[in-house]
Amino acid sequence: MKNYFMKSFFRPEKMLIILVMGLTLLASCTNDYLYSKKEPAWLGSSIYDYLKTDGHYTNYVKLIDDLGYAEVLKLTGSKTLFVVNDSSFTEFYKANVWNVKSYTNLTLSQKKMLFNFSMVNNAFLLHTLTNYYDGALHEGAAMRNVTALNALDTISFDIGEKVSTGKYWDNYRTKGIHVMKDDSDHPIVFFTPQFLSKYAFTDEDFSILTGGKTRAANDVFVFNSKVIKQDIVCKNGYIQVLQNVLIPPTNMAQYIQDNSKMEIPTNLRTSIFSKLLDRFSAPYFDATKTVQYHLLHPESTDSIFIKHYFADNGGVTYLPSKTSTGTPEPALNRLPFDPGWNSYHAFTPTTSTALQADMAVMFVPTDDAMNEYLNSGVGAILKKSFGSWENVPDQIVMPFIKEHMRSSMIESVPSRFRKMVDAQNYQLPVTTSDIKASYTAVNGEVFVTNKAYPPVDYISVYSPVLLSTNTQIMNWAINYAPNGYAFYKLYLNSLVNTYSLFIPTDEYLNKYIDPIAYGQDKQGVLKYKFISKTSSVTAYIYAYDKTTGVVGTVVVDSITSTNNNANNPTFLSNRLWNMLDSHIVVGSVDNGDGYYLTKGNDFIKVGGSGTSMTVKGGADIVNTSTPPKVTEVFSQANGKTYFLDKPISATLKSVYQVLSENPEFSTFFELLSGVPSNYVEQLFETQGIDNRVKFFNAYRYTVYVPTNAALKTALAAKIIPSWDEINAMAPNDTLRNIAINKIVKFLKYHFQDNAVFFGQPVNDQFQSSTLKVDNNSTLWGTSKNKYFKLGVVGDANSLKITMDSKSGDPIRTANVLTADPITGKSLYNLIAKDYVFNDVPVKFKNIDGTGTVLGAKFNTSSISTSASAVIHQIDNVLTFE
C-alpha cells in the first residue's frame, strides 16, 4: 500500500492539483509571494482557453459553447478531453455515417454524443490512463475507461426495419419505439504501448483489431484513431488530440445488427446471425428513464424502453411476459453475456474483472458463411430438419450462438486463436484467414468471419439426435442431468473417440420389454412418448405375456418425468440409459457383417451397410421377426449416427437359462449346479431375471460348453470327480473340499474373459476364470496368482482353443462345433446376458401394483449393471493339468 501511495502521490496530475492548493495557502501566509497575484506560466491555461486561443479547434469549441460547457472547462477541475482539430472535422464532413456535411447539420443529440464521448471525468496522462485500481494497483493493464456520455443522449426512435427482430419486438415494427440500446456507461477503448506490451499483442494483432492500422513504439490509439498530440497540460486537466473525429462506436449487438443493412457489401453482411441473436432480446419499459427523457424533451409523451438480452452476465434472466400467477417468467435460453451491455465486464459468482481490464469478443459469420454451413457437410441436417435458419428452435440455436461468444478479448486476439477452446474445452478452430473484417465496439471486438463455428453438439454423433424432430425421447435421455452433469452428452460429444450410435426414432419406442418385470409373475412393456409442452417423457405401461409375446391394450400405469414423484425421472432415465448403452458401439461398424460389442457389453450383429443395414441384438437374433433396420445415416466428426425403425433388443436370457434349456448342455449344467450350498465358492446366485454367474463382472465373456459325451468321458477317466462321488464323502473329510475345489476350478476354466465369435478372425490368448496357485511353468507362461489362459485361433470356418497345459505335456486343444454330434443342433454364438438389479424382482410389486404386500413400488426398481456372454459348444473338455 505504501508503494502505491508514493507512486500515486508524485504523479503529475496529482502534483498539479496539490501545487495549486499550495499556492493558495502560501498566498494567505505572506503578502510578497511571487504567485499571490498570478498563476505560474508552466501551469498553462484552462482546457477551454487553450482550445479557444490555439485557433485550430473552432469546431470543437463550438460544441463546448453550444452545449453550455464553456464555464465548466474554464474552471479548475479534473478532465481529460480527446479532441480533434479543424482539419480532421473537414475530413469528417466529406464522409461520415451520419451524412453530416457541415457543423450546422449536426443535431443536438449528435453534438452531445461527439462532445460527451470525448470527455473522461478525470485527469489522465496517457501513461496513467493505462492503469487502474480495484483495491490493488494494476499498471499497464487498462484498455477502457468510462466517458461522460449519458445513455439518454443515445435514445433512438426505431420503426420498420430498424426495429430488432424477434417476437418481443413485433408489436413495435409498425408504430415504432423509443429505445436505448443499453442504459449503462459508454467506455472508450484505447491501445497503449504499456497494455500491448503487458499482454504480448503482436503487430498483426493490433493491425487486425484496428482495421489495418500500423503503429510506432510510443503510439496510442483510441479505437482506431491515433493520438497525434499527447498530454497537453492544462490547469484543469489534459488534452489529447486525435487524428479522426470520434463518433461513439456502438456496442457489439448493435454493430452486428447495423452490419445487416443493404448498403453493407453482400460478402460482409451479418443479417442471419443478427436475427438469431435478437431472438434472445426484448424491450423493457423503464419508468425512471422515461421521466428523465421527458425533462429533457418536454414535448415528448413517449415511453422509453431499454433493449436487454437474456443473459447470465449483464443481461436479464426473465421474459417481458408473466406467468399465470403474475410473476416474471424465467428466460430458459440465456446467452453467456449481454452483447449489448456497454459496460461489459466479466464476472462469475466468485470473481469479477474490472471494466477497464478487458472486454468481450464475438466471431460473427457472414450471411454467405451461414448459408454455406447450412447447405453442406454436417450442417445439412439443420436444413433437412428445419428448412432454414429462421425455423431452427431457440434451444437449438442457443449453443450455436454461444460458440461464437468469448468473455475475454485479451485471450482471443489473432495470435491466441490456436489456443482458444470453448466452454466444453474443445478447440475453436478460428484462423486469421477466416477474418473478413473487425470492429472495435465499446464493449468488445467483433470479428466478421467467412466461416461458422458450430458447437460440438452440432458436429458429433449426438448432433442428429439434437437436431431431428423425431428423436426427442433419446435426446431427453442424453441430456438428463440429475446432478448437473449430462454424462451421455459429454460422452457422445467426445471428439477423441469414434462412435457408431444407433437411435430408434420416437415413433418406434413403443415396445420396451422391461427386464425386471420380465423376471416377475406379471410382465410388462413400456411405450414411451415425448410431451412437447413440458419437454418431458412419459412411459405408459402395458401388460405383456412373455410366453405368447402378446402386448395388452389397456394402460396399466404411467410414469412421467415431470410429476411430483421423485422416483419417476430416475426410473425413466435408468431404463432409457440401459437401452442407450446397448445402442452405442465404440468404433466403426462400416466393415460390414459381424458381431460388435456395445458400451453396455451387449453384442449386436450387423449386416449390410447404409440404409440397407440391419442390426440385431441378442433377442433379435433368435426371433424370426424383422430385425431393426437403418432408415438414415449421418456422417459426423466423431463417427456415424444411424436412425433405426425399432430398438435393438438385447437378450433377456441369462447364462443360467441358456444352459438349462438346452439338453445338449445338460451334463455341464448339472456340474455347475451341483456345487454344495455350503461351499465357499458358488458359481450361481439368485439375481437378475433368474440366476446369474456369481463371478461375472460388468464385462463380456465366452463360455465353452463340452458335449455331454466329452464330459462323461472325462468323468469316467477321473479327470474330474463326479458330484455323486463327492457327496458320498464325509462332510468333514479334507479330501472332499479338495475334490470340490478341483471340479470348481475345472468348470471355471471354461469361462473366458473377452468374447470371441465363431466366424470372425481371432488369434490371441485370453484369461480364464481359474486362478493358478503354483509355480509350474505352462504353455502360455501363466505366473502364480494369475489366471490360466486359453489360446484362441479362429477364422471364417473354425474356432480352436489351446489349453494352458503344463510345460512338457502334450498340447491339448478343443474345437467349437457347428452342430451337436447327436441332435445336429447349432449351438455356437449363443448370446446370454446376466443382469444385476438393485434387488431381486420378487422384492418389487408387479407393474399393476399387485404382488408381495411389503414389496417396493415398481418405479423404485433399477438396473444396476450387466454382463454378457457368448456360448459355444466344444468337442473336448478344457483342462490346465
Side-chain angles (χ1 to χ4, degrees), residues 771-824:
L771 190 69
K772 184 175 183 290
V773 294
D774 58 42
N775 290 312
N776 295 331
S777 60
T778 66
L779 176 65
W780 300 122
T782 303
S783 304
K784 183 180 179 180
N785 294 325
K786 301 294 182 180
Y787 290 93
F788 281 107
K789 296 176 183 176
L790 296 163
V792 183
V793 177
D795 56 26
N797 301 304
S798 66
L799 190 64
K800 177 180 285 188
I801 303 97
T802 301
M803 302 167 220
D804 200 3
S805 54
K806 185 177 178 180
S807 295
D809 286 357
I811 294 176
R812 298 190 297 276
T813 63
N815 296 283
V816 171
L817 297 172
T818 57
D820 181 80
I822 297 175
T823 65

Side-chain angles (χ1 to χ4, degrees), residues 130 140 190-228 230 243 415-416:
T130 195
F190 43 85
F191 300 106
T192 64
Q194 296 93 328
F195 177 84
L196 296 174
S197 174
K198 182 179 182 70
Y199 293 109
F201 281 27
T202 67
D203 288 341
E204 183 184 33
D205 290 338
F206 174 80
S207 178
I208 292 175
L209 290 171
T210 57
K213 300 288 184 180
T214 58
R215 68 182 186 93
N218 294 317
D219 285 348
V220 175
F221 279 73
V222 176
F223 292 95
N224 63 352
S225 182
K226 181 180 176 181
V227 179
I228 57 176
Q230 301 183 4
Q243 191 170 33
S415 62
R416 292 177 172 84

Side-chain angles (χ1 to χ4, degrees), residues 382-427:
L382 273 174
K383 185 171 184 179
K384 181 176 182 180
S385 299
F386 307 109
S388 65
W389 280 109
E390 64 184 12
N391 293 327
V392 180
D394 289 353
Q395 71 274 14
I396 293 177
V397 164
M398 179 56 73
F400 179 86
I401 295 177
K402 283 183 176 180
E403 192 75 0
H404 294 75
M405 302 177 72
R406 293 184 60 77
S407 62
S408 170
M409 190 207 74
I410 291 173
E411 298 301 326
S412 306
V413 292
S415 62
R416 292 177 172 84
F417 281 175
R418 61 188 176 85
K419 296 180 180 179
M420 292 192 305
V421 294
D422 64 14
Q424 298 185 62
N425 213 34
Y426 291 106
Q427 185 177 14

